[in-house]
Amino acid sequence: MPGLGDAASCLAGIASIQFQQLIGFLFYMGILSLMGLGLTLMYQTTKVPNFAYGFYVGLGMYVAFLGHPKILNVMPPYPLAPLAFILGGIASLATYLLVIKPLSSRGASIVQLMIATIAVDLFGSTIIYILTDYYYYVYKIYTAKGFLFRSDDIVVIANPQITAAPLIVLALLAALISLLYIFINKTKLGIAMRAAIENPGLAEILGIPTSRIYIFSWFLAGALGGLAGLFYPMWFYVDPSVPARILITIFAVSIAGGLSSIYGPFLGALLVAYAESILPSQIYGCLYSIGYQGAGEILKYGFVFPMILIVLFIAFAPTGLAPAVSRAANKLSSIIRR
């Protein structure tokens, strides 16, 4: 039976988090925030869980691949960020205009629309596989089937090493939160968007062009996914199956944060990034420190934790973290004012 010594060893194992692991966690949280915000924005406008979102992220990943020395020779691929942003936005907009909107006008149910987005995702995945085959067999660029650009990044600080990607993503995230707050609360378009999301029927009666707002929302949502995808290979390995696999993680971010809140994805990303990138290492550290030599196997299954979070939140907290955090903040504010 484990004793106090084992418990102390376990706690020491949990606390033994490496510096690079923390940097990786912050980077992952940043790009998951961008992806989760896009997916949540789409859900809020049309109430459709968009299973094609991984395709928009994948486009960004393979825009980064175009920076390969044998193609555009732009490495690190940061100058290609506008291209990833635009392509992700166009793919998303095409999904809305060519699939979601026509089917909705014909009375398609949410389930039918959701299945339609799965078809779009399969179509997009096929395009990505064709693209990788083209560069693999025609140009003999064998990394098309799997690439990681972390070693090509700019080293900002040598010891301890900090590369440019985490700093850029965190700066982008801070700017995005600030701009989002100003946009939603201080601009006419943002207020109109909020009205169109909360009550589309009343917004149309008041003369708000909900159709245009949905077009803008879908473009922005896909563009954020494309942008996040561009940064992904600067820290994580990418192959053609990654866009489909990461979709579950993005859904976990949106569900954990709260699909009804535009700020929910930031909270969801914090939790999911911790569960997938830090928690498995802490469990490993605990088990290894008390003598379980095979504990390293758990490091292979970090992707399971977002799935567990999806089930737990749907079962026990379907509104997500954002409403609870908002209520706690309001309560704290009222206590301070007394």
Side-chain angles (χ1 to χ4, degrees), residues 6 56-57 79 88 110 123-124 147 162 168 177 216 280 304 316:
D6 289 335
Y56 317 143
V57 175
I110 294 296
F123 177 75
F147 55 92
I162 299 178
I168 294 173
I177 293 173
F216 173 75
V304 173
F316 301 107

Side-chain angles (χ1 to χ4, degrees), residues 14 30 42 52-53 76 80 84 104 124 130 132 134 144 157 174 186 210 244 258 262 277 280 294 310 331:
I14 289 174
M42 286 175 170
Y53 199 80
L80 300 175
S104 296
I130 290 173
T132 57
Y134 176 74
I157 299 174
K186 304 293 182 183
T210 54
I262 202 70
S277 64
I310 288 176
K331 193 172 182 180

Side-chain angles (χ1 to χ4, degrees), residues 2 5 15 49 173 205 210 284:
L173 185 62
I205 292 171
T210 54
Y284 162 72

Side-chain angles (χ1 to χ4, degrees), residues 163-302:
T163 52
L167 299 178
I168 294 173
V169 168
L170 290 176
L172 191 64
L173 185 62
L176 180 66
I177 293 173
S178 303
L179 289 173
L180 193 62
Y181 177 81
I182 294 170
F183 174 71
I184 288 178
N185 295 288
K186 304 293 182 183
T187 68
K188 288 183 179 178
L189 180 59
I191 294 170
M193 179 187 287
R194 200 170 57 185
I197 288 173
E198 291 174 355
N199 195 331
L202 181 60
E204 284 187 0
I205 292 171
L206 293 173
I208 295 172
T210 54
S211 180
R212 291 182 190 175
I213 287 173
Y214 288 174
I215 287 173
F216 173 75
S217 300
W218 273 69
F219 177 85
L220 179 63
L224 290 174
L227 188 62
L230 178 108
F231 287 104
Y232 191 91
M234 303 311 295
W235 198 273
F236 301 109
Y237 176 81
V238 171
D239 64 45
S241 69
V242 168
R245 280 193 278 119
I246 201 172
L247 183 64
I248 297 297
T249 302
I250 304 171
F251 268 104
V253 169
S254 294
I255 292 170
L259 286 165
S260 62
S261 171
I262 202 70
Y263 298 108
F266 303 112
L267 295 170
L270 190 66
L271 178 63
V272 173
Y274 166 75
E276 193 171 345
S277 64
I278 298 287
L279 184 59
S281 299
Q282 290 183 315
I283 295 173
Y284 162 72
C286 171
L287 295 177
Y288 185 79
S289 63
I290 59 177
Y292 288 94
Q293 298 300 319
E297 291 297 312
I298 196 170
L299 297 175
K300 300 177 183 175
Y301 299 101

Side-chain angles (χ1 to χ4, degrees), residues 94-215:
T95 306
Y96 175 70
L97 292 177
L98 302 178
V99 179
I100 301 298
K101 192 176 180 183
L103 290 177
S104 296
S105 66
R106 294 178 185 177
S109 67
I110 294 296
V111 173
Q112 289 170 323
L113 293 173
M114 185 180 71
I115 293 171
T117 65
I118 294 174
V120 173
D121 183 61
L122 292 174
F123 177 75
S125 297
T126 304
I127 291 176
I128 288 176
Y129 273 99
I130 290 173
L131 181 72
T132 57
D133 284 345
Y134 176 74
Y135 282 109
Y136 187 90
Y137 292 109
V138 177
Y139 284 91
K140 309 297 181 188
I141 304 175
Y142 301 118
T143 52
K145 295 290 185 183
F147 55 92
L148 173 65
F149 295 144
R150 188 170 172 180
S151 62
D152 296 300
D153 203 358
I154 301 165
V155 177
V156 179
I157 299 174
N159 190 20
Q161 188 181 84
I162 299 178
T163 52
L167 299 178
I168 294 173
V169 168
L170 290 176
L172 191 64
L173 185 62
L176 180 66
I177 293 173
S178 303
L179 289 173
L180 193 62
Y181 177 81
I182 294 170
F183 174 71
I184 288 178
N185 295 288
K186 304 293 182 183
T187 68
K188 288 183 179 178
L189 180 59
I191 294 170
M193 179 187 287
R194 200 170 57 185
I197 288 173
E198 291 174 355
N199 195 331
L202 181 60
E204 284 187 0
I205 292 171
L206 293 173
I208 295 172
T210 54
S211 180
R212 291 182 190 175
I213 287 173
Y214 288 174
I215 287 173

